[in-house]
Every structure is written in C-alpha cells, then in structure tokens.
Amino acid sequence: MPGQPARHVPLIAPSILAADFARLADEAAAVKGADWLHVDVMDNHFVPNLTLGMPVVESLLQVTDIPMDCHLMIDNPDRWAPPYAEAGAYNVTIHAEATDNPVGVARDIRAAGAKAGLAIKPGTPLEPYLEILREFDTLLVMSVEPGFGGQKFIGEVLPKVGTARRLVEAGELTILIEIDGGINADTIEAAAEAGVDCFVAGSAVYSAEDPAAAVRSLRERAATASRHLTL
Ligand code: DX5
Ligand code: ZN
C-alpha cells in the first residue's frame, strides 16, 4: 500500500568470521546498531575449516548486548547445539545435512531458551525440509559453500528464498528467512527482492573503514529493495 511502511524490516547480522580474532570484544563493539552478531562455529569436520566454539561464545556473550546468532557448521549438532542455547545465544542454527534428527535438535534448542535455525547448503533442496520448518524459527539459506568468508554470492539459491517467502506470506510458516555468504552492496538488493529478512555480511562489514556505517548502509539498501514487495 503506498505510504505504508514495509512490514518487512531488514535485519543485518555482521559475521565476526571477517573480524580480527585477537580483538573480538572491540570488533563486536565496532558494529554497534547491528541487529544480530553472527558467529560461525566450524569444526574442521562438517566444513574444512576450524574457527571457535563454546568458550569463545561464552566470552563474547559477556561483552556484547547484540543478540548472538550462532551458525553451527559442525557434525553431531544433536550433542553440541543445545549448550549454545543454554549459554544465552539468541538464535542457534544447525545444518540440515549434519543430522538425521533436526526436529529433535530444534526442540532441544528451543527448550534451552533460544530460537532454532535450520541451515541448508547451496546444493541442498528446500522441499524435503518444508514440513519440519514449523519446528524452527529461522531458515538460513547459504549463498556460498560453508567454510570460508569472502566468497562469491551464488544467486541460484534465491528461488529457495522465494519459496519460503511465499509460504510465510500464505501463513503456512512463521520463520524468519536469513541468507549467508557473499552479501554486499552489489548483491543485497537481489536477496531482499527475493524475500530475505536477515542478511549476514562478513567481509562487506569488516573490510569497511566504519563497520557500523556499513551495517546501516546495507540495511538501507535492503529496505529500499524490498519496499515495493507486498509483504
Ligand atoms: C561461511 C560463513 C559466513 C561467512 C560470510 O561459511 O557461514 O557467515 O562469514 O562471509 P562473507 O559475508 O564474507 O561471504
Ligand atoms: Zn555463517
């Protein structure tokens, strides 16, 4: 409706994978105003890279008020995901490819007080998971192969966003749709137009001279691009 504010307020989640790991408290402070702080947990098994785990997340939770969005790129989330929720993460996302029991893990995460997210890799179809998405709060559509920051955005994943968006608009799902990988000033508009609610951005935020300003600028671009949508 003209003149009506969009119901669809874009959230920006800077990924600290692109931050200086020796100065994580400062790097969290540098994105003041961000909606979520995206923390990539990698175990060198599910993905060929190793980052950080519970001790670092617990320390980070002490130094920032930004809701923490833990993206677990790990095997056996059944065992390892609930502690992130217990520690105080806002949203805990597991990979669909990493467990045979995603619903059980989602229930454990929610029971421990966090929102539960389901992530799918670029080559993973959405359809097999549509039924179980009602057990989740967020859907994370990966737009790069998980494991590393600074990769090129894979636009071919956007139809999955569109499918999820339509189901949300039809009232069949109440998830928030998140995208992760290669999001920057050039790619965020296409993602916003497809119906993304929450945009993870690592290098685009932390390579900027003023990361907090980069967050605001990405949010503005996403808001402008999605304004015409009847969401
Ligand atoms: C990749 C991670 C992303 C990564 C995004 O496996 O899940 O969160 O930090 O980094 P950019 O925005 O640089 O692609
Ligand atoms: Zn991530």
Side-chain angles (χ1 to χ4, degrees):
M1 213 181 284
Q4 191 97 340
R7 265 167 49 204
H8 186 63
V9 180
L11 306 178
I12 305 295
S15 169
I16 57 153
L17 186 61
D20 179 349
F21 273 28
R23 302 171 42 250
L24 283 181
D26 295 341
E27 295 283 64
V31 293
K32 191 171 186 315
D35 300 287
W36 295 357
L37 190 65
H38 186 83
V39 176
D40 290 305
V41 175
M42 304 186 190
D43 66 353
N44 204 26
H45 288 271
F46 181 73
V47 286
N49 196 4
L50 184 66
T51 53
L52 51 84
M54 274 299 292
V56 176
V57 166
E58 283 173 327
S59 294
L60 260 177
L61 284 163
Q62 304 299 314
V63 297
T64 182
D65 293 333
I66 304 173
M68 201 164 292
D69 180 33
C70 290
H71 176 193
L72 306 186
M73 285 160 276
I74 61 172
D75 282 339
N76 199 4
D78 311 54
R79 164 72 182 84
W80 301 112
Y84 289 88
E86 285 155 19
Y90 177 74
N91 183 51
V92 179
T93 292
I94 59 160
H95 265 269
E97 304 86 356
T99 175
D100 294 330
N101 183 24
V103 169
V105 188
R107 288 178 181 170
D108 288 348
I109 290 169
R110 283 174 155 182
K115 297 197 179 301
L118 186 72
I120 50 172
K121 298 205 266 185
T124 301
L126 177 61
E127 279 68 22
Y129 301 102
L130 288 176
E131 276 299 307
I132 64 163
L133 276 178
R134 68 195 60 199
E135 302 272 353
F136 287 86
D137 303 288
T138 63
L139 167 69
L140 189 156
V141 176
M142 289 294 309
S143 42
V144 298
E145 288 301 331
F148 299 92
Q151 302 183 75
K152 190 171 171 295
F153 181 71
I154 301 171
E156 287 80 2
V157 306
L158 290 180
K160 291 192 276 190
V161 171
T163 299
R165 183 85 250 153
R166 281 189 292 279
L167 290 167
V168 169
E169 296 314 314
E172 289 174 37
L173 284 177
T174 52
I175 43 157
L176 191 144
I177 305 166
E178 190 174 3
I179 197 158
D180 184 6
I183 291 294
N184 56 39
D186 297 328
T187 57
I188 196 166
E189 287 166 5
E193 284 172 3
V196 169
D197 301 294
C198 180
F199 304 81
V200 176
S203 39
V205 168
Y206 280 106
S207 67
E209 197 152 315
D210 181 345
V215 168
R216 291 193 294 273
S217 154
L218 286 169
R219 192 190 284 120
E220 187 51 42
R221 270 179 193 272
T224 304
S226 59
R227 196 153 286 153
H228 70 280
L229 298 176
T230 52
L231 297 175

